C-alpha cells in the first residue's frame, strides 16, 4: 500500500510534487464554490484566478498557522530564492488582476 510519506518522497528541488499537485487540484475543484461564495459578498473572482492565487494563499496560510514548509521558508528568506519570490509575486498579481467588485 502506498503511504503518504512515500508519495511525498518525490520532489522537485525541495518541494513535494504530491503536495503541490494536490493543492492545485483542491483549488480547481473548490473554485466554483469559492467564486459563488464571494459573489454573494459582491466580489467577482473568476475561477482561473483561484489557480493563480493557490501558492500565495498557501504561503499566507502557512505563515498564519506557523507551519514553516520549505517554500514558506524560502519565500521569507531575504537573501536568496529570488526566482521563487518572483513566481509568487507574479502569481499574486495575475490572481488579483481579474477580481471586481459587483453591485448588489
Amino acid at each position: 500500500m502506498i503511504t503518504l510519506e512515500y508519495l511525498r518522497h518525490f520532489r522537485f528541488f525541495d518541494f513535494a510534487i504530491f503536495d503541490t499537485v494536490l493543492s492545485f487540484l483542491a483549488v480547481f475543484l473548490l473554485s466554483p464554490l469559492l467564486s459563488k461564495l464571494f459573489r454573494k459578498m459582491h466580489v467577482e473572482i473568476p475561477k482561473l484566478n483561484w489557480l493563480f492565487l493557490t501558492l500565495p494563499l498557501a504561503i499566507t496560510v502557512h505563515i498564519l498557522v506557523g507551519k514553516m514548509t520549505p517554500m514558506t521558508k524560502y519565500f521569507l528568506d531575504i537573501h536568496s530564492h529570488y526566482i521563487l519570490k518572483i513566481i509568487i509575486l507574479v502569481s499574486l498579481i495575475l490572481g488579483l488582476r481579474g477580481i471586481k467588485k459587483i453591485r448588489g
Side-chain angles (χ1 to χ4, degrees), residues 48-88:
L48 180 63
N49 287 43
W50 287 110
L51 290 175
F52 285 121
L53 291 172
T54 301
L55 293 178
L57 287 174
I59 288 175
T60 304
V61 168
H62 283 109
I63 290 170
L64 291 175
V65 299
K67 176 80 171 151
M68 289 298 148
T69 63
M71 188 177 294
T72 306
K73 287 178 192 173
Y74 294 165
F75 184 75
L76 294 176
D77 181 11
I78 59 173
H79 299 294
S80 62
H81 306 290
Y82 299 112
I83 293 176
L84 174 67
K85 291 174 177 74
I86 290 169
I87 290 170
I88 300 299

Side-chain angles (χ1 to χ4, degrees), residues 2-49:
I2 297 176
T3 65
L4 193 57
E5 286 304 315
Y6 175 73
L7 292 173
R8 286 183 170 161
H9 177 73
F10 301 102
R11 297 187 173 272
F12 181 73
F13 295 106
D14 286 338
F15 312 122
I17 296 171
F18 176 75
D19 293 342
T20 307
V21 169
L22 193 62
S23 297
F24 279 101
L25 182 63
V27 169
F28 176 75
L29 294 174
L30 289 174
S31 63
L33 245 51
L34 292 168
S35 291
K36 191 175 187 179
L37 176 70
F38 274 84
R39 221 174 283 122
K40 290 182 180 183
M41 295 186 282
H42 307 292
V43 178
E44 178 68 30
I45 303 177
K47 294 174 185 107
L48 180 63
N49 287 43

